[in-house]
Amino acid sequence: MTQLNYKIIVFIMGLLLVFNGGFMLLSALVSAIYAESEGFDILAAAGVAVTLGGLVMFLTRNHIKVLNKKDGYLIVTLGWLIMAFAGTMPYMFTGAITNYTDAFFETMSGFTTTGASIMNDIEIMPKGILFWRSLTHWIGGMGIIVLAVAILPLLGIGGMQLFAAEAPGPSADKLHPRITDTAKRLWLIYVGFTTIETLLLRIAGMGWFDAVNHSLSTLSTGGFSTKNASIAFWNDHPAIQWIIITFMFIAGANFVLSYFAIKGRLSKILNDTEFKWYTFFVVGFSILGGILIYFQADPLSSSIAHPMVLGEAESAIRHSTFQVLAVITTTGFVSADYTMWTPFLTIMFFGLFFLGGSAGSTAGGIKVMRHIILIRNGIMEFKRTLHPNAILPIRYNGSALQSGIVFNVLGFFILYMLSFIIGATVLAALGLDFETAIGGALSSLGNVGPAFGDLSPVANFAGLPQLGKWWCCFLMLIGRLELFTVLILLTPFFWRNR
């Protein structure tokens, strides 16, 4: 009989609260550096989180240090919820956000790296709060559970079950035989890229505070900015936008490939099927968008321009590439309002919302790997129709896939589309128009951020009804945790002790 180990589950919730409080201390430090009075409130929030987490850990310290698969699923989902609920404290304690629904929405959007915001004026917020906002992205990006996995062995707890439940994408490639070493290497790469981008943005002309915050948001494919206009604030600084484009591309690729690149094993990257298709999609749609912008639309205006009149090709390609990557990688940064370019490009971007980045990246969405498997399985069905007795496996990266993986991908796609349809239907029932409802549901489920209609790139989610915000939070959560991890908890057989 497989029974849930409740003591260890509660213990890890306490551990995550301590983590949360520790990161809040960094935000309090930022407030102190800028001599903000809000730093004391953030410090108080950190104290509450650390104290409560430490107390929980103390009370449940005598637990069986063994995790099963059920424990892993429950810990991941509850861990995300605990982090989100606790993460509202800096907003509430400082008064930056006074409505709890709004505070929870902003926090869940941060930890799930969605980037949807309810803040109407970001630039008046204290720097400590803006840093906390970006930090929630960065923590959630690689996964708070992977972070926990890296130190659980110090507590005598194995972490394979947690990594299996949390690792983004349909597969969790291991860099090292020991799961903890895998988690540590992933975080080292993550920290390294964040540091490099920060330095490059500073050199390109962005201030230190803005550079740090945007690096935290880029590598996590989150999208929170310190400016109301997002990255459009730096439209007269092409170098800044090209740097962010580069790191969005890196963040949307499998982090395991980054490890191979650092090791000089470039053949592993060049022969990776998903990376080749991911690159093809990014380059192809960016060129297509750039051509259409150059000939038909002003990238910085809502007006349709006359053919061949508009400025430089570089501007068209840059804004097209930026927005294509922002949507495919689900980063959600904005350099222009793509919904006002041309009707064709609006439809194209709507389709890109379903694409997602690579498996093993910090991006959300369906993921390129799943699309490849779906397409190849569809093509193989034609062959099976002609040759019903033939054994025709689906091949990926030169190897035949097990049927269980194919069924998993098919099941995920069906659940994703059903979640999208139900999500949009609920938002429509709450009074949103058609375009806003489908945009809000798709953006929340795919963890993209900006959407369509009243939730376009130049708007935000503040106008959603209260129930609509809670519903979008649920969609963000199931989308970030790859559907199965959360939805399996809603099935009766999960709770049976067998």
Side-chain angles (χ1 to χ4, degrees), residues 65-324:
K65 297 177 180 179
V66 176
L67 287 172
N68 58 52
K69 186 170 287 188
K70 278 189 174 183
D71 296 332
Y73 284 119
L74 193 56
I75 287 169
V76 170
T77 302
L78 288 182
W80 227 271
L81 288 172
I82 288 292
M83 292 289 280
F85 279 114
T88 61
M89 289 194 292
Y91 297 121
M92 299 299 291
F93 281 31
T94 60
I97 302 176
T98 55
N99 180 284
Y100 190 80
T101 296
D102 287 348
F104 186 82
F105 182 94
E106 197 78 11
T107 311
M108 180 62 79
S109 179
F111 280 122
T112 58
T113 71
T114 303
S117 180
I118 51 81
M119 292 185 178
N120 290 312
D121 192 348
I122 297 167
E123 295 174 30
I124 66 169
M125 291 292 168
K127 284 185 166 54
I129 287 297
L130 291 180
F131 184 75
W132 170 246
R133 194 166 166 261
S134 300
L135 205 53
T136 57
H137 268 346
W138 197 75
I139 299 166
M142 183 59 69
I144 52 175
I145 307 303
V146 175
L147 176 62
V149 166
I151 72 161
L152 283 178
L154 300 177
L155 308 173
I157 303 169
M160 186 63 219
Q161 290 82 1
L162 294 186
F163 189 81
E166 155 57 17
S171 67
D173 294 316
K174 295 174 66 175
L175 314 180
H176 192 275
R178 293 184 60 191
I179 191 66
T180 53
D181 290 327
T182 294
K184 289 173 185 175
R185 281 165 172 76
L186 287 173
W187 269 101
L188 283 173
I189 293 169
Y190 195 52
V191 172
F193 279 139
T194 304
T195 303
I196 293 169
E197 185 186 358
T198 298
L199 293 174
L200 290 176
L201 288 176
R202 180 67 187 92
I203 293 169
M206 194 179 276
W208 277 115
F209 181 76
D210 292 329
V212 170
N213 278 270
H214 286 91
S215 296
L216 295 175
S217 291
T218 304
L219 267 300
S220 63
T221 64
F224 279 155
S225 175
T226 56
K227 304 297 182 184
N228 292 326
S230 188
I231 308 302
F233 183 86
W234 289 278
N235 275 342
D236 56 346
H237 290 77
I240 287 176
Q241 295 186 344
W242 282 114
I243 290 168
I244 294 175
I245 284 171
T246 301
F247 282 92
M248 279 197 292
F249 180 82
I250 291 171
N254 192 329
F255 269 76
V256 174
L257 297 183
S258 296
Y259 175 81
F260 290 141
I262 293 169
K263 288 291 186 179
R265 299 167 64 183
L266 298 181
S267 61
K268 295 281 289 185
I269 302 172
L270 298 176
N271 294 328
D272 186 80
T273 301
E274 184 180 38
F275 182 77
K276 287 189 286 189
W277 279 102
Y278 168 65
T279 305
F280 173 77
F281 285 139
V282 170
V283 173
F285 286 116
S286 296
I287 292 174
L288 175 61
I291 291 172
L292 290 175
I293 291 170
Y294 183 81
F295 285 104
Q296 297 184 29
D298 184 345
L300 302 179
S301 171
S302 61
S303 63
I304 302 299
H306 296 290
M308 298 298 290
V309 172
L310 299 170
E312 301 177 1
E314 184 275 337
S315 177
I317 288 293
R318 171 163 42 92
H319 287 288
S320 173
T321 304
F322 191 99
Q323 291 305 150
V324 165

Side-chain angles (χ1 to χ4, degrees), residues 384-413:
R384 292 183 185 126
T385 301
L386 294 174
H387 308 284
N389 297 322
I391 298 175
L392 302 170
I394 309 297
R395 293 193 171 275
Y396 185 83
N397 276 343
S399 302
L401 291 177
Q402 297 177 358
S403 59
I405 295 176
V406 179
F407 292 147
N408 180 281
V409 170
L410 290 171
F412 179 91
F413 184 76

